[in-house]
Amino acid sequence: MRIPSTSCLCPFLVCLCFIQRSYGTGHHVPVKVPSKNQTKLPNGETEVHHRPKRGWIWNQFFVLEEHLGPDAQYVGKLHSNSDKGDGTVRYILSGEGAGTIFIIDEVTGDIHATKSLDRERKSHYVLHAQALDRNTEEALEPKSEFIIKVQDINDNAPKFPDGPFVASVPEMSEVGTSVLQVSASDADDPTYGNSARIVYSILLGQPYFSVDPKTGIIRTALANMDREAREHYAVVVQAKDMAGQVGGLSGSTTVNITLSDVNDNPPKFPQSTYRLNLYVPESAQEGKPVGKIKANDEDLGINADIKYSIINSEGANTFSISTDRDTREGILSLKKSLNYERKKTYTLHIEGVNTHTDPRFSYLGSFKDTATLKITVGDVDEAPVFSMDYYILDVYENSPSGTEVGSVTARDPDSRNSPVRYFMDSKEDGVRYFRIDESTGVIRTTQPLDREDMPWHNITVMASEVDNPVLFSHVPVTVQVLDVNDNPPEIATDEDVIVCENSRPGQVIQTITALDMDDFANGQRFSFALPNQLPVNPNFTLKDNEDSSASIIARRRRFSQLTQELYELPIVVWDGGEPSLSGTSTLTLRVCPCQRHGKVRMCQGKAFLSSAGLSTGALIAILLCIIILLAIVVLFITLRRSKKEPLIISEEDVRENVVTYDDEGGGEEDTEAFDIIALRNPAAAEELNFVPYCWNESN
């Protein structure tokens, strides 16, 4: 198949040129080039090989948005090389909007838009075109894709999506200080024409503010704008498209600008020579507010913070001033009490200073002001004043009723110097032990006092003017009860003293101390002895250690719980007081079996038997059995020792018994003592040349 190259392109080019002239588009129109399966002939014709080439020729089409005409808007034309104009080719259209928005003439291939389109909703449509044989419905060309773009017109005004705006700028700012940047948006196509090219301008707010026409930055346009004169400004900014040309669309927004405060105003007292007359009674308490003063500051926040101070010594020595953070007032307080009789007036020079100054405005002068305040002290009838803030008195215990403890003194501070009457607080417990002379202030006891019962007494003495008993003052009085030696000492133990059965002569049984309820300034000293009127104790003696302790010492060897369990030992103890007192205490000494090194082992035997729930008869029977068994054992051991024959111990007994050795005798032979050895190895007895004998404690 040979087709002249010009003849296949000319009809399509004519169609496209018509479209471009109609809509003013300047897009380049590419065409389909011959397939690789082609050969150029010498006469300029092209020979097609193998299969027919693709015959579609088109580019993207354009359609104006917002078309309002009565007829459908022509978009463009589709044409295939296979179309000979005889109506045998049928064109079909599919894709976005095909059949609803876009329709095609099946014979001619003309495409029309039946509806008004909005580029801001959808900017382009993707469609597919195909050429079919009308008779056979076979595809003459493969389905191909093309695009219809919606061409923009200026149909959207600029908008401020974030408006209205709120901004602030410090007062007294320089010209050109940036306040805020506003930004408008335009829904039109920014790549086509000037529909979305925006220019900013000020509609309302001049001459105070200006706006950059391109960036939308709002700046101050007037110097030294004062917040105290005007604080709020409403600036209207306009955004216009088409680069601001006539016919462009516009939108506006409001920017509410507030001048923020800076410290450009000093504090001011109401008058430059400010004088106040303040009356303060002399009864005003120290630390309590007595008056207030205030300087005015037109600034806000920390820029209006004021620190007050008293700058003259006469006022600063007696008064102090502080600032109330909420009201910014100066609060005057007393540093020390006033006395009308001594000083009746005070003059205070008070200064108010801004605490946060701005060096940029130092040229305006010092940010402080002063005022003079005159204070008049008022005379009041004052309560009597004691000579001391508190009194500490003392008296010996056991002193007879009526003994003088001490005295208090008060006087009337007023110029009249009225007589004073003294009395005690009847609600306190101290009135049971003391009384006071209402004229002299002398305090006396009402009964003998016992230091051991209550060493300190706290009472309250009050004083009032005789002429005005309603007005009174009070003072605390502490009475210390001094000690006398009126309590004998006692031995400091409530438990029995344990005596081991294996105790030896000279062995210390226990060290004892004494207690004394009396108080000794240099420490308690005690001495100990056995009663002289009693015969010498054969079992125990007492040694005074001369350090306020004594030792109980055994006088004989071996004690037996079975023979005698309890011993009583009377001990006399003397204190070191003046005069010296003594007391006799009787200690109970209990004999107990002990393990090695004196460790108690069996002192709880009786308690154990009692806790077992045995009757008295059963206990007696058990004791008799034990005595009989002990007698048999003693007899058996005596016979063994008299024959000098060793006690035969089985290997089983040796393995089971624990090796013990009583060496408290210091290595000396003692035929009276029961020295016990249980050997695990019988050969050890032979090496020691010792004849062992055993005492079986379980029997």
Side-chain angles (χ1 to χ4, degrees):
M1 176 179 175
R2 295 181 180 148
I3 304 173
S5 59
T6 56
S7 64
C8 69
L9 295 176
C10 287
F12 180 62
L13 291 174
V14 171
C15 175
L16 291 181
C17 291
F18 169 76
I19 296 173
Q20 292 173 0
R21 286 196 301 270
S22 300
Y23 299 103
T25 58
H27 296 284
H28 172 65
V29 184
V31 299
K32 285 289 182 178
V33 299
S35 160
K36 291 183 179 180
N37 299 321
Q38 297 177 3
T39 303
K40 286 188 176 182
L41 298 178
N43 58 2
E45 295 182 350
T46 300
E47 182 177 2
V48 181
H49 302 279
H50 301 298
R51 58 185 176 86
K53 74 176 183 65
R54 180 179 177 182
W56 288 106
I57 301 173
W58 64 77
N59 196 359
Q60 58 186 1
F61 298 117
F62 296 87
V63 59
L64 284 175
E65 67 170 334
E66 307 294 348
H67 177 68
L68 301 177
D71 301 327
Q73 185 179 185
Y74 182 74
V75 178
K77 184 180 185 67
L78 298 180
H79 182 72
S80 173
N81 290 344
S82 301
D83 189 355
K84 304 302 182 181
D86 55 2
T88 60
V89 178
R90 185 167 70 91
Y91 297 95
I92 61 175
L93 195 65
S94 62
E96 296 178 332
T100 56
I101 300 176
F102 302 103
I103 58 175
I104 187 169
D105 189 310
E106 293 183 350
V107 176
T108 64
D110 292 331
I111 302 173
H112 289 82
T114 63
K115 295 182 179 180
S116 177
L117 304 181
D118 188 353
R119 188 200 67 84
E120 286 71 39
R121 291 186 177 181
K122 190 170 180 63
S123 61
H124 68 277
Y125 295 83
V126 179
L127 294 100
H128 300 87
Q130 194 172 18
L132 304 176
D133 187 300
R134 185 178 295 275
N135 297 321
T136 64
E137 292 297 321
E138 293 182 357
L140 300 176
E141 299 290 342
K143 183 183 292 188
S144 297
E145 180 181 283
F146 68 97
I147 297 174
I148 298 178
K149 285 191 174 182
V150 181
Q151 189 169 346
D152 182 57
I153 64 173
N154 188 20
D155 59 342
N156 291 279
K159 295 181 179 179
F160 292 90
D162 299 328
F165 300 88
V166 176
S168 65
V169 64
E171 63 173 330
M172 310 297 288
S173 295
E174 297 179 356
V175 174
T177 301
S178 176
V179 179
L180 177 72
Q181 182 177 15
V182 296
S183 178
S185 61
D186 195 313
D188 292 322
D189 189 356
T191 64
Y192 180 75
N194 293 326
S195 298
R197 185 179 176 185
I198 298 174
V199 173
Y200 299 94
S201 61
I202 294 286
L203 296 182
L204 178 66
Q206 294 176 332
Y208 308 104
F209 298 95
S210 64
V211 64
D212 189 294
K214 294 182 179 181
T215 63
I217 297 177
I218 301 173
R219 303 178 185 276
T220 58
L222 189 65
N224 299 327
M225 287 190 289
D226 191 0
R227 184 198 65 82
E228 288 74 31
R230 181 179 176 182
E231 184 175 4
H232 302 287
Y233 295 84
V235 178
V236 178
V237 179
Q238 175 184 265
K240 189 174 184 179
D241 60 15
M242 299 299 293
Q245 298 175 6
V246 177
L249 303 179
S250 64
S252 63
T253 187
T254 300
V255 182
N256 295 307
I257 301 176
T258 301
L259 296 183
S260 59
D261 185 63
V262 298
N263 191 8
D264 59 341
N265 293 280
K268 289 288 185 182
F269 287 101
Q271 299 177 6
S272 58
T273 56
Y274 186 55
R275 289 187 174 272
L276 288 176
N277 289 322
L278 184 62
Y279 175 83
V280 179
E282 62 175 336
S283 59
Q285 298 180 8
E286 295 180 15
K288 297 294 183 180
V290 295
K292 57 182 65 176
I293 189 173
K294 183 178 182 180
N296 299 321
D297 194 317
E298 296 181 353
D299 294 319
L300 300 176
I302 63 173
N303 297 319
D305 287 347
I306 302 173
K307 180 182 180 181
Y308 297 93
S309 59
I310 302 174
I311 57 178
N312 65 319
S313 58
E314 177 187 355
N317 292 334
T318 308
F319 297 89
S320 63
I321 189 169
S322 60
T323 303
D324 187 311
R325 294 184 178 180
D326 296 328
T327 63
R328 293 190 172 93
E329 295 175 322
I331 308 300
L332 283 168
S333 302
L334 276 178
K335 291 175 66 174
K336 51 184 169 181
S337 58
L338 303 176
N339 192 324
Y340 174 81
E341 288 72 27
R342 294 181 180 177
K343 189 173 180 62
K344 296 178 175 58
T345 59
Y346 292 87
T347 300
L348 279 64
H349 299 297
I350 299 176
E351 182 180 70
V353 182
N354 276 148
T355 57
H356 299 83
T357 57
D358 193 331
R360 294 178 301 171
F361 307 107
S362 58
Y363 66 90
L364 296 176
S366 61
F367 283 73
K368 61 182 178 180
D369 197 15
T370 58
T372 301
L373 179 64
K374 184 176 182 181
I375 295 179
T376 301
V377 180
D379 186 22
V380 296
D381 190 6
E382 300 175 85
V385 178
F386 285 93
S387 60
M388 300 175 62
D389 295 332
Y390 61 91
Y391 292 84
I392 298 178
L393 309 176
D394 56 61
V395 62
Y396 280 100
E397 65 175 327
N398 301 329
S399 297
S401 176
T403 300
E404 181 178 341
V405 178
S407 62
V408 298
T409 303
R411 64 174 185 83
D412 181 13
D414 298 323
S415 57
R416 295 181 301 170
N417 196 18
S418 300
V420 176
R421 182 179 70 89
Y422 302 94
F423 56 98
M424 295 176 58
D425 189 351
S426 59
K427 298 179 182 179
E428 293 185 342
D429 190 55
V431 297
R432 295 192 302 158
Y433 306 100
F434 306 95
R435 58 183 174 84
I436 188 170
D437 188 294
E438 67 175 14
S439 300
T440 62
V442 175
I443 300 174
R444 300 179 183 273
T445 61
T446 59
Q447 58 180 300
L449 305 178
D450 186 359
R451 188 201 67 84
E452 289 71 33
D453 180 43
M454 187 180 296
W456 295 88
H457 294 268
N458 295 313
I459 60 177
T460 301
V461 175
M462 292 182 278
S464 65
E465 296 180 11
V466 175
D467 299 336
N468 187 7
V470 178
L471 192 63
F472 59 87
S473 58
H474 54 82
V475 67
V477 178
T478 300
V479 179
Q480 180 184 11
V481 182
L482 303 178
D483 184 59
V484 296
N485 192 18
D486 58 344
N487 291 280
E490 298 176 353
I491 300 298
T493 179
D494 294 331
E495 299 180 356
D496 295 345
V497 178
I498 302 301
V499 180
C500 291
E501 286 185 328
N502 56 1
S503 298
R504 300 185 180 278
Q507 181 177 341
V508 175
I509 303 301
Q510 185 167 326
T511 300
I512 60 174
T513 58
L515 295 176
D516 196 321
M517 296 178 64
D518 292 320
D519 182 25
F520 295 90
N522 298 320
Q524 295 178 337
R525 296 188 182 91
F526 301 104
S527 56
F528 304 84
L530 297 177
N532 293 330
Q533 66 273 19
L534 296 179
V536 176
N537 192 314
N539 302 310
F540 306 98
T541 185
L542 188 69
K543 177 186 177 183
D544 191 339
N545 297 325
E546 298 182 356
D547 60 354
S548 294
S549 69
S551 299
I552 301 174
I553 301 174
R555 300 192 66 177
R556 67 180 182 86
R557 181 186 306 275
R558 298 290 180 178
F559 293 86
S560 175
Q561 186 184 37
L562 296 177
T563 304
Q564 183 175 349
E565 182 182 4
L566 300 177
Y567 294 87
E568 290 187 350
L569 183 64
I571 299 176
V572 182
V573 57
W574 289 268
D575 62 22
E578 291 294 338
S580 179
L581 298 179
S582 64
T584 301
S585 300
T586 300
L587 302 182
T588 299
L589 286 68
R590 182 181 296 276
V591 178
C592 291
C594 300
Q595 294 179 355
R596 187 179 179 185
H597 305 305
K599 187 175 181 180
V600 178
R601 184 178 59 186
M602 295 179 60
C603 268
Q604 301 299 324
K606 290 186 176 181
F608 171 77
L609 292 175
S610 299
S611 64
L614 300 177
S615 64
T616 304
L619 291 175
I620 294 175
I622 293 173
L623 290 176
L624 289 176
C625 292
I626 293 174
I627 293 172
I628 293 172
L629 290 174
L630 289 176
I632 293 172
V633 172
V634 172
L635 179 60
F636 177 77
I637 293 175
T638 304
L639 292 175
R640 286 283 186 180
R641 297 179 69 177
S642 64
K643 293 179 181 181
K644 301 298 183 179
E645 294 180 0
L647 177 63
I648 304 303
I649 304 175
S650 66
E651 291 184 2
E652 182 179 356
D653 293 334
V654 172
R655 284 195 302 270
E656 294 179 354
N657 289 301
V658 179
V659 177
T660 60
Y661 175 61
D662 184 6
D663 59 351
E664 292 182 359
E668 298 180 0
E669 184 178 358
D670 187 358
T671 58
E672 298 296 333
F674 292 102
D675 299 330
I676 301 171
I677 298 177
L679 301 176
R680 293 187 181 277
N681 189 354
E686 295 178 0
E687 294 177 2
L688 295 173
N689 194 21
F690 188 88
V691 180
Y693 55 89
C694 289
W695 178 271
N696 192 337
E697 297 179 357
S698 63
N699 296 328

